[in-house]
Amino acid sequence: MGYAAMMDRTTLDSSTLASAAFDTATGLLVLEFCSGALYRYCSVPASLYHDLLAADSKGRFFNRFIRDRFPTTLVAPPTAPKTI
């Protein structure tokens, strides 16, 4: 996981996003989804990260302002659902 593991994560109250971390020096945004998937988004403005944290709906904000708008790297795929 490397660099993303060293960043402080903020737990999010969202049915879509589990946590977010941001590096102001590089504009690197790391989002952990409730599915377990972990993505890195490059060149994200700090103001957009703060707006995400303040948004009433984190998932809606992500879909409108972040998804498909920044260079993205999948860090970890979604985790498989647990079976009994």
Side-chain angles (χ1 to χ4, degrees):
M1 205 170 304
Y3 194 72
M6 296 185 302
M7 298 169 62
D8 289 331
R9 289 192 193 175
T10 300
T11 301
L12 301 177
D13 182 18
S14 170
S15 60
T16 303
L17 299 171
S19 69
F22 186 72
D23 182 7
T24 55
T26 63
L28 178 66
L29 173 65
V30 178
L31 294 177
E32 177 187 12
F33 289 78
C34 292
S35 68
L38 194 67
Y39 284 88
R40 283 192 298 221
Y41 298 86
C42 298
S43 303
V44 176
S47 60
L48 195 67
Y49 171 67
H50 295 293
D51 290 347
L52 170 66
L53 296 182
D56 289 335
S57 171
K58 312 297 190 256
R60 193 173 324 150
F61 185 92
F62 165 77
N63 284 324
R64 186 165 182 196
F65 297 107
I66 299 172
R67 185 179 191 175
D68 299 328
R69 295 180 183 257
F70 297 94
T72 307
T73 303
L74 174 64
V75 177
T79 54
K82 294 182 181 180
T83 58
I84 298 175

